[in-house]
Amino acid sequence: MTSADWPLWEVFVRSRRGLSHTHAGSLHAPDAAMALRNARDLYTRRSEGVSIWVVPSAEITASSPDEKDPFFAPAADKPYRHPTFYDIPEGVRHL
Amino acid sequence: MTTTPQGAPSASAPEATAPQSGSAVPVGAALALGDDALVLSHRLGEWAGHAPVLEEEVALANIALDLLGQARVLLSLVGDEDELAYLREERAFRNVQLVEQPNGDFAHTIARQLYFSTYQELLYGRLAAGDGPFAPLARKAVKEVAYHRDHAEQWTLRLGDGTEESHRRMQTALTALWRCTGELFEPVDGLGLDTAALHEGWLALVSRTVEQAGLTLPTGPRSDGWSAGAGRQGIHTEPFGRMLAEMQHLHRSHPGASW
């Protein structure tokens, strides 16, 4: 058995309570329980985390690079969608 | 506390000065626990570059480093850690024979780890509950060791319940190392703890995993004339000498070398 036979898993680590899980990397493991343990050994050795998610890479649906333009280009020329477009009135504090 | 003179099989000399009360550290017990951790750490380190998969290589190295950290604390309690690790002769080592057994195939490594980590977790748990000289270390290390045991259990389940070949290899390994397990429950000089009392809990934990994995717990002899033992008295198996030669040769060839 080699790791080539094992499915790939994506690892998400939450570094502190209150923060969201962040993608840390990927690894091979025969099943979910071992993937969690491998993730613990590979990505939290230097006390980076308080919580780990592992997700089968095959289960992730990703946007295709070919669809980059229809997906993302239309947003490029619409700066008014950014909140910075608006002037903040003088009287507004604590913003 | 003086260190043992280099090379001499002299661990027994300081034992005479090892009272159990207060903060005085019993030398025999510190060497026993420290050598267990040191020797197993070195064995696991031998997998570096040879483990079946990269992820498992890191896992084994992590366990090895945990054990090395424990060994450094324990040996430093009773002397200079480098002198004790690199300049003692084989007969001065006090580790059980189980931890010096060669890695064998991956199943042998896992069986050795299952037997030892289960024992070590129970032992450290008891030491952590007390207020002896080993309590501070045990309180920290018991969490590390719980993970080592879990790692070994997970692999025992998967190998036992895996393919026909993995099942056969795991069973062979459990059986081969069984005769080394009786020694774990022999008394340890100066430890102040009844190691024999750990046996019941150990057997329950190990047999639960072994049965769940569809394997059979061996029934052969463990503590009679035909089984292994006497590592605590400095009697070791043949492969241990070769392991020590490899572990110590750099320090002996270049005393005081650092990087």
Side-chain angles (χ1 to χ4, degrees):
Chain A
M1 191 190 298
T2 69
S3 60
D5 305 327
W6 290 353
L8 193 65
W9 303 75
E10 300 299 325
V11 180
F12 298 83
V13 176
R14 184 167 72 186
S15 54
R16 274 190 290 131
R17 291 192 80 78
L19 296 181
S20 51
H21 286 72
T22 308
H23 188 233
S26 54
L27 51 80
H28 288 95
D31 54 51
M34 292 307 285
L36 261 188
R37 285 163 177 80
N38 288 346
R40 179 263 194 194
D41 284 330
L42 287 167
Y43 295 111
T44 67
R45 300 184 57 212
R46 300 172 189 90
S47 57
E48 290 96 333
V50 294
S51 168
I52 302 174
W53 289 346
V54 287
V55 180
S57 303
E59 293 297 315
I60 290 178
T61 308
S63 63
S64 157
D66 301 338
E67 296 172 320
K68 194 164 143 271
D69 281 348
F71 261 60
F72 305 118
D77 59 350
K78 299 182 177 63
Y80 51 83
R81 287 181 178 174
H82 292 275
T84 51
F85 186 78
Y86 303 96
D87 288 331
I88 296 164
E90 285 275 322
V92 176
R93 295 163 145 204
H94 311 303
L95 191 72
Chain B
M1 187 85 52
T2 55
T3 60
T4 52
Q6 37 181 81
S10 58
S12 59
E15 268 166 22
T17 66
Q20 278 187 347
S21 59
S23 57
V25 180
V27 175
L31 291 180
L33 303 190
D35 288 347
D36 280 354
L38 175 66
V39 170
L40 186 54
S41 167
H42 190 84
R43 280 295 187 210
L44 289 170
E46 290 173 355
W47 275 108
H50 304 281
V53 297
L54 181 64
E55 285 82 353
E56 194 49 36
E57 180 156 317
V58 177
L60 292 171
N62 268 339
I63 295 173
L65 287 172
D66 283 348
L67 289 168
L68 188 62
Q70 296 167 18
R72 294 188 61 184
V73 172
L74 286 160
L75 295 182
S76 296
L77 286 174
V78 293
D80 179 86
E81 55 178 342
D82 283 344
E83 274 183 34
L84 289 170
Y86 296 126
L87 297 175
R88 268 184 301 162
E89 297 289 345
E90 178 180 335
R91 292 293 288 266
F93 276 80
R94 290 292 178 266
N95 54 283
V96 289
Q97 292 180 0
L98 174 65
V99 296
E100 74 199 34
Q101 297 307 305
N103 286 335
D105 61 8
F106 187 66
H108 275 77
T109 294
I110 292 301
R112 187 182 62 197
Q113 203 64 40
L114 178 73
Y115 287 155
F116 184 76
S117 296
T118 306
Y119 156 80
Q120 201 186 24
E121 187 188 1
L122 292 168
L123 178 68
Y124 281 178
R126 291 282 288 275
L127 290 171
D131 60 354
F134 304 123
L137 167 87
R139 273 193 284 275
K140 177 170 175 290
V142 72
K143 293 178 206 155
E144 298 172 347
V145 177
Y147 186 80
H148 305 170
R149 176 182 54 76
D150 176 74
H151 173 266
E153 286 179 355
Q154 294 292 332
W155 272 116
T156 303
L157 294 176
R158 281 161 181 76
L159 294 174
D161 196 19
T163 65
E164 205 173 299
E165 185 183 3
S166 74
H167 179 94
R168 178 181 57 75
R169 284 178 181 247
M170 192 65 218
Q171 185 63 58
T172 303
L174 286 173
T175 307
L177 293 171
W178 182 249
R179 65 188 186 84
C180 298
T181 57
E183 191 187 0
L184 297 172
F185 308 101
E186 298 287 321
V188 178
D189 236 9
L191 189 60
L193 189 119
D194 181 14
T195 42
L198 303 174
H199 181 253
E200 196 181 335
W202 180 88
L203 196 62
L205 285 168
V206 169
S207 50
R208 186 192 63 185
T209 305
V210 168
E211 281 162 24
Q212 206 182 332
L215 297 157
T216 313
L217 203 65
T219 52
R222 294 196 291 161
S223 54
D224 61 14
W226 295 102
S227 65
R232 296 275 190 241
Q233 287 78 49
I235 311 295
H236 296 285
T237 53
E238 190 210 338
F240 184 57
R242 291 197 295 274
M243 193 210 92
L244 267 194
E246 189 174 307
M247 188 176 95
Q248 296 184 332
H249 94 267
L250 188 70
H251 189 89
R252 288 181 185 269
S253 307
H254 306 276
S258 63
W259 57 357

